[in-house]
């Protein structure tokens, strides 16, 4: 009986020992599993806490939408009087086709934030700043095992922050997208950009002479002039419209010069000018030739000129010299009216070409082709010349 009892106690001891081993093994397995799970949580939390994670997420959204609230604020703060926010947005989005990247700025800010330069096509277009999310509560508790052991045997290794980074602020500067629009037009014209009229505050130069009037401003300071408009807040392309003094759209031809801004003379006015210039030219050249008595020739010229005009004054001064002329005969053989340029105050400059035959002692008969530029006053009832160039 004693032998059987001894065997039973031995079997019971082995069973208990086995149970203890199994329990201890289960405990070790459970502990290992728990610690491994915590290590996994730590690794996962560590990965989420890297700054680049927040930067990549920000860039992914920005490059997908090509727009965000920071860009919206930047556009609203930019002067763009002739363009809508929607037009600026569309242009900015078109310029972001190659994507936006972020480059870390050196150092850490005093506030514990990290800043990045936002770049597109190698040019900085803005910046972003990220900060640790202090309100974040993760799954990792460093007071739980195995972290106290890790801290004991590997001091400092757990000092890395485990809070994820989030966007703190971003800002954009699109001022490098600005272009300038500049145009020179007659002072009576108006300029519109995208339907918005440019006011006088955009005029940067005034009293610019017409090229075709350059020789006449001294005598007629009221001749029309040009102005230059400059608009510096153009982003992308804008539609410019020019309107003349009557409000009609006008397209400037860069090859025509300033003559394109001058309205042609009507046929009735031109005919009056021709009717004056043909007899005037003959009387004027006859006087100038000295072929007849100077005073008589001047009296014959006076019905075609304004009294006291430059022509009359010069003629009076020339009377003494003409008495010494050696021309014995004069004949106008051809007259050609070349054209007319309207000036101001009912004045016109007319171009004519005359062919004359004269006989001069010592030279004989001479044929001359003489171009004249005559300034004429015509108000519809009176048509008279007052200066010859």
């Amino acid at each position: 009986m004693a032998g059987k009892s001894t065997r039973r106690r031995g079997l019971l001891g082995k069973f208990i020992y086995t149970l203890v081993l199994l329990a201890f093994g289960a405990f070790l397995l459970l502990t290992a599993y728990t610690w491994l799970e915590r290590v996994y949580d730590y690794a996962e939390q560590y990965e989420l806490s890297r700054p680049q994670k927040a930067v990549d997420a920000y860039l992914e959204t920005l490059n997908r939408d090509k727009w965000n609230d920071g860009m919206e604020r930047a556009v609203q703060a930019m002067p763009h009087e002739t363009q809508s926010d929607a037009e600026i947005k569309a242009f900015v989005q078109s310029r972001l086709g190659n994507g936006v990247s972020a480059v870390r700025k050196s150092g850490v800010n005093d506030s514990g934030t990290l800043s990045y330069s936002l770049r597109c096509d190698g040019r900085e277009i803005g910046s972003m700043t990220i900060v640790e999310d202090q309100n974040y509560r993760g799954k990792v508790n460093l007071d739980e095992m195995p972290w106290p052991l890790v801290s004991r045997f590997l001091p400092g290794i757990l000092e890395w922050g485990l809070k994820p980074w989030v966007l703190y602020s971003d800002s954009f500067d699109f001022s490098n997208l600005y272009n300038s629009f500049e145009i020179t037009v007659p002072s009576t014209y108006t300029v519109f950009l995208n339907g918005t009229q440019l006011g006088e505050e955009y005029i940067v130069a005034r009293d610019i002479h017409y090229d075709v009037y350059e020789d006449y401003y001294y005598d007629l300071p009221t001749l029309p002039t040009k102005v230059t408009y400059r608009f510096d807040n153009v982003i992308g392309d804008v539609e410019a419209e020019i309107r003349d003094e009557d409000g009609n759209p006008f397209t400037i031809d860069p090859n025509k010069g300033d003559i394109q801004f001058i309205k042609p003379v009507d046929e009735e006015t031109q005919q009056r000018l021709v009717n004056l210039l043909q007899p005037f030219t003959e009387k004027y050249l006859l006087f100038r030739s000295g072929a007849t008595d100077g005073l008589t020739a001047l009296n014959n010229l006076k019905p075609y000129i304004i009294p006291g005009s430059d022509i009359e004054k010069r003629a009076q001064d020339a009377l003494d010299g003409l008495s010494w002329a050696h021309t014995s005969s004069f004949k106008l053989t051809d007259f050609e009216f070349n054209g007319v340029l309207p000036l101001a105050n009912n004045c016109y400059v007319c171009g004519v070409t005359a062919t004359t035959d004269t006989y001069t002692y010592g030279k004989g008969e001479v044929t001359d082709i003489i171009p004249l530029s005559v300034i004429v006053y015509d108000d519809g009832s009176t048509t008279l010349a007052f200066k010859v160039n």
Side-chain angles (χ1 to χ4, degrees):
M1 296 296 295
K4 291 183 178 180
S5 176
T6 301
R7 286 196 301 272
R8 288 175 182 167
R9 284 197 300 270
L11 290 173
L12 181 60
K14 291 179 180 180
F15 178 72
I16 293 172
Y17 178 72
T18 301
L19 288 178
V20 170
L21 288 177
L22 289 173
F24 182 71
F27 172 77
L28 290 178
L29 287 175
L30 180 62
T31 301
Y33 175 80
T34 301
W35 286 13
L36 286 174
E37 187 177 35
R38 290 174 181 174
V39 169
Y40 176 81
D41 289 344
Y42 183 90
E44 183 181 43
Q45 190 63 44
Y46 175 80
E47 179 64 23
L48 290 175
S49 69
R50 296 304 85 200
Q52 192 61 39
K53 197 79 173 178
V55 174
D56 291 343
Y58 176 86
L59 291 177
E60 181 181 359
T61 302
L62 181 62
N63 286 317
R64 181 193 66 211
D65 300 336
K66 294 183 174 60
W67 196 252
N68 65 12
D69 292 341
M71 291 181 173
E72 184 79 26
R73 292 191 299 270
V75 168
Q76 290 178 353
M78 295 171 64
H80 51 282
E81 301 92 318
T82 63
Q83 295 167 287
S84 67
D85 288 353
E87 290 172 326
I88 303 303
K89 176 181 178 180
F91 181 77
V92 170
Q93 289 178 319
S94 70
R95 296 295 294 270
L96 301 181
N98 292 330
V100 179
S101 60
V103 178
R104 171 78 178 274
K105 294 183 179 180
S106 60
V108 179
N109 301 329
D110 294 338
S111 59
T113 58
L114 300 177
S115 295
Y116 294 79
S117 170
L118 298 175
R119 298 177 176 273
C120 180
D121 293 329
R123 176 181 295 179
E124 183 172 276
I125 63 170
S127 63
M128 65 172 293
T129 301
I130 58 175
V131 65
E132 284 187 320
D133 185 359
Q134 299 300 325
N135 297 322
Y136 179 79
R137 295 294 179 264
K139 296 184 291 184
V140 177
N141 184 354
L142 296 180
D143 293 329
E144 294 178 338
M145 294 297 289
W147 308 125
L149 291 175
V150 174
S151 297
R152 180 175 179 180
F153 293 104
L154 297 172
I157 195 171
L158 298 180
E159 293 180 0
W160 304 322
L162 292 179
K163 297 182 182 297
W165 292 77
V166 294
L167 180 67
Y168 179 73
S169 65
D170 63 350
S171 62
F172 292 86
D173 181 8
F174 298 127
S175 58
N176 56 11
L177 300 180
Y178 277 131
N179 293 316
S180 295
F181 172 84
E182 186 171 301
I183 192 169
T184 300
V185 297
S187 59
T188 56
Y189 283 28
T190 50
V191 178
F192 294 79
L193 292 184
N194 286 357
T196 300
Q197 181 176 348
L198 298 185
E200 290 194 356
E201 65 272 21
Y202 297 104
I203 296 177
V204 296
R206 299 177 183 270
D207 300 323
I208 303 171
H209 290 179
Y210 281 43
D211 51 15
V212 291
Y213 287 154
E214 192 60 53
D215 296 333
Y216 306 104
Y217 282 102
Y218 179 80
D219 296 311
L220 296 169
T222 58
L223 282 171
T225 55
K226 299 179 294 181
V227 296
T228 297
Y229 286 89
R230 181 181 176 88
F231 186 82
D232 292 322
N233 298 330
V234 173
I235 297 179
D237 298 326
V238 295
E239 182 180 350
E241 181 184 8
I242 302 166
R243 299 181 189 175
D244 63 19
E245 60 269 16
D246 297 324
N248 299 316
F250 188 93
T251 301
I252 296 178
D253 187 337
N255 299 316
K256 286 187 176 180
D258 294 338
I259 191 67
Q260 65 186 302
F261 303 129
I262 302 171
K263 292 184 177 180
V265 176
D266 61 86
E267 293 183 5
E268 184 177 348
T269 300
Q270 181 164 315
Q271 190 58 54
R272 288 196 302 269
L273 297 173
V274 173
N275 293 341
L276 168 76
L277 265 299
Q278 188 160 8
F280 165 82
T281 300
E282 183 175 15
K283 302 301 182 184
Y284 175 78
L285 292 179
L286 174 60
F287 168 81
R288 199 175 73 171
S289 71
T292 61
D293 174 66
L295 189 57
T296 301
L298 177 57
N299 289 331
N300 291 334
L301 178 62
K302 284 183 177 180
Y304 304 99
I305 64 176
I306 294 177
S309 64
D310 181 78
I311 295 175
E312 183 175 6
K313 291 176 181 178
R314 290 175 179 270
Q316 292 284 358
D317 293 340
L319 281 174
D320 290 340
L322 290 174
S323 63
W324 296 91
H326 300 290
T327 303
S328 60
S329 67
F330 169 88
K331 183 179 180 181
L332 180 69
T333 60
D334 188 48
F335 168 84
E336 183 177 353
F337 186 86
N338 300 322
V340 55
L341 175 67
L343 299 177
N345 303 327
N346 297 317
C347 294
Y348 303 84
V349 56
C350 303
V352 301
T353 302
T355 302
T356 63
D357 288 340
T358 58
Y359 186 87
T360 303
Y361 296 114
K363 293 184 179 180
E365 188 170 321
V366 178
T367 298
D368 291 309
I369 298 177
I370 305 171
L372 295 177
S373 179
V374 186
I375 300 178
V376 179
Y377 173 83
D378 175 82
D379 62 2
S381 59
T382 300
T383 306
L384 295 171
F386 69 88
K387 188 173 184 179
V388 176
N389 292 325

